[in-house]
Amino acid sequence: MNLLDSIWLIPLFPLLGAVVMLLVGKRLDPQAPSQVALAPGVANLPVEDPAHGHGAAPKHGHGHANQGGFGKALISLFCPGMVLLSFLLSAGAVWQLAGRPEKVHEVIKYTWLAGLPFATSSGAAARFAADWGFLLDPLSGVMILVVTGVGFVIHVYSIGYMAHDGGYYRFFGYLNLFIFFMLMLVLANNFALLFVGWEGVGLCSYLLIGFYFHKKSAGDAGNKAFIVNRIGDSSFILGMLLVFATFGTARFLEINQMAASGRFATETAGFGIMTIIALLLFGGATGKSAQIPLYVWLPDAMEGPTPVSALIHAATMVTAGVYMVARSAAIYQLAPNASMIVAVIGCLTAIVAASIALVQNDIKRVLAYSTVSQLGYMFVAAGVGAYWVAIFHLYTHAFFKALLFLGSGSVIHALGGEQDMRHMGGLKARIPITHWTMFIGSLAIAGIPGFAGFFSKDEILWQAYSSPLGSQLLFWMGLVTAGMTAFYMWRMMHMTFYGESRVAPERAAHIHESPPVMTVPLMVLALGSVFAGWIGVPKLWSAFPESFRAFEHWLGPMFAAESAHAGAEHAHSASTEWLLMLLSVATALAGIALARYMYHWNRKAPDAVAASLPGMHRTLANLWYVDKFYGWLFVDGLAKGGGEAMGQFDNTVVDGGVNGTGWLTRLTSSLSIWWDTWIVDGAVRLTGFLVKVLSYPARLLQTGSVQAYALIFVLGVVLLFAYYLSY
Amino acid sequence: MQAIPPTYYLMVSLGLVLIGTIGLLTRRNIVIILMSIELILNAVNINLVAFSNAAGNERGQVFAIFVITVAVAEAAVGLGILIALFRNKETVLADEVELLKW
């Protein structure tokens, strides 16, 4: 069976799931509407602290049996099942692709945009056309496996996590819809279709962030995500149209071919068309992938249910920007300046987000900023031309970040909705599976050798250092970020799992490990976090055979033309690479040790540090004032001030115009009245007056007296007689 | 037998016309006015009959009968109006009925 020609089916399974859920799901889960209507406090524990309360937390102590009955069980089977089918089909298709010499397969189903003719900027005739076409190559192969694989695991987890929440069918419908759009995004064979998926995942993100729509903060967060993403998307649209105008097509294969053909010069200086395209596309990526300056929506997106945070806002959707940049690698290759900007922005984002994560107290927000930071790493890799490394980190990150989020969800679940780490602690013994899996995830993200994150992060740092597009500065900033990553992860682990318990007493009695439907996904992802990296072992570890470097062999050839630094790695000696690797491991260990010291041995240290660096601490606690600045500039300044200015404009100019028109109308109408009264009416009345005056003598004849008439009559007869007789 | 010449008839009818006209113009009572009109009409009838006799054919007499018929109708209508008037205005005097003027 040739699965490669069936790749267009892959997105259709989740679409089917979504359509069924959103059309008939309500009937399957009849208790849903009343539950949705409940206030979050009602659905949760009575001790719910409104400041930290989280509607996501399932009711505690009600057991974990599927209470919804048959319909709910059907949903629980159907929706994850659809994703599983997608995953199996994806795996089969990728397997068949791997067996082929030509690792590109394109399936074009239908013409979508029939195409208006136009001339490209170079004068060639082209059509504004796009197809429902699907492209499977090593890059999209990795992506669909990550999306459907991690997506399936998170679907399974959600069965347990969302079991007691209202809107069960809605949640799964949205999740399936998201998977559908994400698969459209990564399987699209042209920019226009990619954009459909791009917008679709944004929509699902909005819907799921605002899943607890009765909570104002959730609705606001959804709006924020949607609006901030629109800014990026507008940039993406411009970039896409510029691609059309320049290349005359939106098909990736044709674009890559043309870009590699040498028809377009590499723009080493200044802002040529390629640089502008690359920057505009990257502008879209900063929105979707939460980079400076548009990263502010991602931490707020944690208002959504935790599985959503894991799936959309950590593992898959936010990596769409990285994927898109890698997909446009041929364009970035022609614009080294733009690539440099990508790397610098990624690096800055990584370090800024990591620094904010240092002082966050909300367990999900630590992970959210960590995600922003890790996405920054991916852009560093993409910016220095190491696209396969960016995708490699995307792939490993999907495992351990999904694991960490689901683990945090399990912690929140255990504590009945508590998200503030200051009210946690000492949970290790109470929820051991969650602890151990999160421990593995933390090791992986911190970059401890042997775990997934180590391989990808080390490769990024090495590429940042050694690539011709890289620089020592990028490396050192990445290294600092790695240290901070290790620190904040262990800070989180200590505040959550170790030390004495600071859990509110009324919650403490209810702490319990999550049901297997939630812990098994954790374990699966933990396995991934351990072993996923072993297909990207550094070249340096020459003891390992080449099969341990399968990832590079799989993706590398795709970007062979783009790997400008192909020979560069030889320019640096192996000892340098060993040194840098040791340095990064040492930094990670130092971060862990520091966190252990500050949050285990010397518990006064954190406050002491905060007190000795008050400005720094305040800046970090206030998120570098970026959110406040945006609030001041855009919300209060531009939106509110602009609103006031527009109000003024309305009052003076628009209303003035209206009032002026009114005044003018009144003036002309009063002139008109004068004319009517004196000229038109005057003429009419004059006529009447004249008739009245002139008719006066005639009227005298009409006396009303019959005899007077008779007299006149007789006189008339006499006159006539006289007249006739006189002849 | 010597026929009476038409001139005599004419003299009589002239007298009747004058009496009728003067009655029409000077008397206020509408009943009298109607009677005056009858006088005028009968003067005409005398004329018609006289000329018919003089001319030797009957056309004039036929006309006279027409006039009598019309006069009867006129008197009936006129008296009807008069009764209606009297019911409304309680008067039979022409100079007290001068509503139809400007």
Side-chain angles (χ1 to χ4, degrees):
Chain A
M1 195 166 72
N2 185 358
L3 296 175
L4 285 177
D5 286 328
S6 309
I7 52 172
W8 58 278
L9 278 173
I10 296 174
L12 290 190
F13 288 119
L15 179 64
L16 177 69
V19 168
V20 170
M21 277 310 106
L22 298 179
L23 287 182
V24 302
K26 207 166 190 169
R27 290 162 193 267
L28 292 175
D29 187 16
Q31 72 190 105
S34 61
Q35 288 201 356
V36 168
L38 288 179
V42 180
N44 275 316
L45 273 180
V47 293
E48 183 70 33
D49 176 0
H52 305 293
H54 194 268
K59 264 180 286 190
H60 165 77
H62 286 215
H64 296 287
N66 210 338
Q67 296 176 329
F70 177 69
K72 220 163 181 179
L74 206 63
I75 298 175
S76 313
L77 280 178
F78 182 63
C79 289
M82 286 294 127
V83 183
L84 181 64
L85 280 179
S86 272
F87 175 68
L88 294 177
L89 187 53
S90 305
V94 173
W95 180 258
Q96 290 194 352
L97 185 75
R100 291 198 168 194
E102 182 66 24
K103 299 243 186 311
V104 175
H105 191 78
E106 196 173 22
V107 179
I108 296 178
K109 289 308 287 182
Y110 302 106
T111 302
W112 169 34
L113 301 174
L116 294 170
F118 69 101
T120 63
S121 52
S122 56
R127 300 186 77 82
F128 189 85
D131 298 315
W132 288 103
F134 301 87
L135 173 66
L136 188 66
D137 62 0
L139 178 57
S140 55
V142 171
M143 292 302 293
I144 57 175
L145 288 180
V146 168
V147 170
T148 55
V150 176
F152 172 65
V153 172
I154 293 174
H155 268 74
V156 172
Y157 177 93
S158 305
I159 296 172
Y161 191 87
M162 300 300 290
H164 309 290
D165 273 22
Y168 193 69
Y169 74 93
R170 197 161 55 92
F171 181 81
F172 276 100
Y174 289 163
L175 270 197
N176 269 14
L177 192 65
F178 166 76
I179 299 274
F180 161 69
F181 278 124
M182 191 70 200
L183 288 170
M184 290 302 293
L185 196 164
V186 295
L187 279 173
N189 79 331
N190 60 63
F191 269 110
L193 193 56
L194 183 147
F195 188 65
V196 172
W198 185 273
E199 288 297 298
V201 292
L203 168 71
C204 293
S205 165
Y206 164 79
L207 290 172
L208 285 164
I209 294 169
F211 186 74
Y212 300 112
F213 52 81
H214 39 57
K215 248 172 79 185
K216 185 171 187 316
S217 59
D220 288 347
N223 282 340
K224 186 172 179 183
F226 207 69
I227 292 165
V228 171
N229 265 301
R230 285 286 79 63
I231 300 168
D233 291 347
S234 55
S235 164
F236 183 78
I237 292 175
L238 292 178
M240 181 171 78
L241 293 177
L242 212 49
V243 165
F244 257 121
T246 311
F247 293 98
T249 177
R251 265 182 70 200
F252 296 129
L253 292 179
E254 289 179 25
I255 291 170
N256 288 355
Q257 210 176 1
M258 287 167 84
S261 68
R263 263 175 54 192
F264 301 96
T266 305
E267 293 161 358
T268 46
F271 281 77
I273 189 75
M274 288 301 151
T275 312
I276 293 171
I277 291 175
L279 286 178
L280 285 173
L281 291 179
F282 180 62
T286 57
K288 197 61 82 197
S289 289
Q291 296 298 294
I292 289 175
L294 299 179
Y295 70 90
V296 290
W297 66 273
L298 186 56
D300 285 19
M302 299 305 133
E303 288 286 345
T306 307
V308 170
S309 306
L311 177 61
I312 299 183
H313 305 120
T316 56
M317 184 193 83
V318 291
T319 60
V322 182
Y323 165 78
M324 193 265 294
V325 169
R327 182 52 87 194
S328 325
I331 295 172
Y332 282 88
Q333 180 55 27
L334 295 173
N337 288 334
S339 290
M340 195 189 75
I341 291 173
V342 171
V344 169
I345 295 276
C347 190
L348 281 175
T349 310
I351 200 162
V352 165
S355 69
I356 296 174
L358 295 179
V359 298
Q360 290 296 309
N361 286 321
D362 184 317
I363 186 167
K364 281 180 78 180
R365 283 188 173 255
V366 172
L367 294 173
Y369 280 106
S370 160
T371 304
V372 175
S373 170
Q374 298 298 314
L375 289 167
Y377 266 126
M378 296 177 206
F379 279 110
V380 171
V384 299
Y387 299 101
W388 78 265
V389 183
I391 300 299
F392 186 38
H393 194 57
L394 184 163
Y395 152 81
T396 57
H397 177 255
F399 286 103
F400 57 71
K401 188 50 64 69
L403 167 62
L404 288 168
F405 261 114
L406 295 187
S408 77
S410 183
V411 170
I412 295 166
H413 182 104
L415 293 176
E418 181 62 80
Q419 281 182 252
D420 193 329
M421 294 192 295
R422 286 169 298 190
H423 300 129
M424 296 182 184
L427 295 176
K428 178 184 169 188
R430 308 291 296 272
I431 45 175
I433 301 176
T434 306
H435 163 253
W436 283 113
T437 49
M438 277 192 87
F439 183 74
I440 291 169
S442 299
L443 286 177
I445 194 174
I448 300 303
F451 292 91
F454 163 75
F455 297 103
S456 52
K457 188 181 284 185
D458 186 67
E459 192 64 32
I460 288 176
L461 291 175
W462 170 240
Q463 295 283 359
Y465 182 85
S466 67
S467 161
L469 289 166
S471 73
Q472 299 224 351
L473 188 65
L474 288 179
F475 169 78
W476 288 112
M477 285 172 76
L479 193 68
V480 171
T481 307
M484 291 201 270
T485 306
F487 178 84
Y488 67 65
M489 286 316 296
W490 249 259
R491 174 174 173 273
M492 184 195 86
M493 290 301 285
H494 273 281
M495 288 179 79
T496 308
F497 291 109
Y498 310 137
E500 83 286 5
S501 173
R502 294 178 302 280
V503 182
E506 63 272 20
R507 290 181 195 277
H510 299 289
I511 299 174
H512 59 283
E513 181 60 282
S514 302
V517 73
M518 288 167 71
T519 50
V520 170
L522 288 179
M523 290 185 257
V524 170
L525 288 171
L527 284 179
S529 303
V530 177
F531 296 109
W534 287 95
I535 56 171
V537 169
K539 283 203 178 64
L540 207 54
W541 297 9
S542 44
F544 290 95
E546 281 300 303
S547 58
F548 280 91
R549 285 180 270 280
F551 202 88
E552 185 175 2
H553 292 303
W554 173 247
L555 265 180
M558 252 196 80
F559 301 113
E562 285 78 25
S563 301
H565 62 286
E569 286 178 40
H570 302 292
H572 299 273
S573 64
S575 59
T576 316
E577 194 173 350
W578 275 115
L579 188 68
L580 296 184
M581 191 182 287
L582 285 177
L583 206 55
S584 82
V585 173
T587 313
L589 290 174
I592 293 173
L594 185 62
R596 187 151 179 80
Y597 170 76
M598 281 174 70
Y599 290 91
H600 187 70
W601 298 115
N602 184 359
R603 307 298 294 277
K604 295 191 178 65
D607 291 334
V609 172
S612 62
L613 293 167
M616 191 67 195
H617 185 261
R618 210 178 313 124
T619 307
L620 293 182
N622 281 296
L623 320 175
W624 288 86
Y625 298 102
V626 170
D627 286 61
K628 287 204 170 116
F629 175 70
Y630 284 176
W632 172 76
L633 181 63
F634 295 114
V635 180
D636 291 343
L638 283 181
K640 213 174 276 175
E644 274 161 22
M646 278 157 86
Q648 283 289 317
F649 180 82
D650 248 23
N651 274 336
T652 51
V653 180
V654 178
D655 285 12
V658 174
N659 291 342
T661 315
W663 181 83
L664 209 63
T665 309
R666 259 172 46 193
L667 179 73
T668 52
S669 69
S670 65
L671 285 175
S672 183
I673 287 171
W674 184 87
W675 177 265
D676 251 23
T677 313
W678 295 107
I679 309 299
V680 180
D681 287 10
V684 173
R685 278 185 297 191
L686 182 67
T687 315
F689 179 73
L690 282 178
V691 169
K692 198 171 161 185
V693 168
L694 296 179
S695 70
Y696 186 72
R699 268 187 292 139
L700 290 180
L701 282 176
Q702 196 187 6
T703 59
S705 164
V706 182
Q707 285 173 307
Y709 301 155
L711 178 63
I712 293 166
F713 177 70
V714 170
L715 286 179
V717 170
V718 170
L719 274 177
L720 282 173
F721 265 104
Y723 178 72
Y724 281 112
L725 291 177
S726 66
Y727 284 99
Chain B
M1 183 177 85
Q2 175 79 39
I4 301 171
T7 314
Y8 294 90
Y9 295 107
L10 292 183
M11 295 305 285
V12 173
S13 76
L14 177 65
L16 282 173
V17 164
L18 286 177
I19 293 166
T21 305
I22 288 165
L24 176 69
L25 294 181
T26 56
R27 302 306 292 264
R28 296 160 65 206
N29 194 318
I30 293 172
V31 180
I32 307 293
I33 291 172
L34 284 172
M35 288 163 67
S36 304
I37 291 170
E38 289 301 315
L39 282 183
I40 295 170
L41 288 170
N42 282 319
V44 171
N45 284 343
I46 291 170
N47 270 7
L48 287 169
V49 173
F51 283 123
S52 165
N53 189 35
N57 64 36
E58 286 75 37
R59 285 183 200 162
Q61 295 174 32
V62 173
F63 265 105
I65 290 172
F66 265 121
V67 171
I68 291 166
T69 315
V70 172
V72 169
E74 176 248 314
V77 173
L79 287 171
I81 291 173
L82 182 67
I83 289 168
L85 179 70
F86 185 78
R87 283 186 182 160
N88 282 300
K89 303 281 288 184
E90 297 200 0
T91 178
V92 288
L93 300 183
D95 61 346
E96 287 183 9
V97 186
E98 46 188 12
L99 298 171
L100 287 173
K101 61 180 177 183
W102 57 277

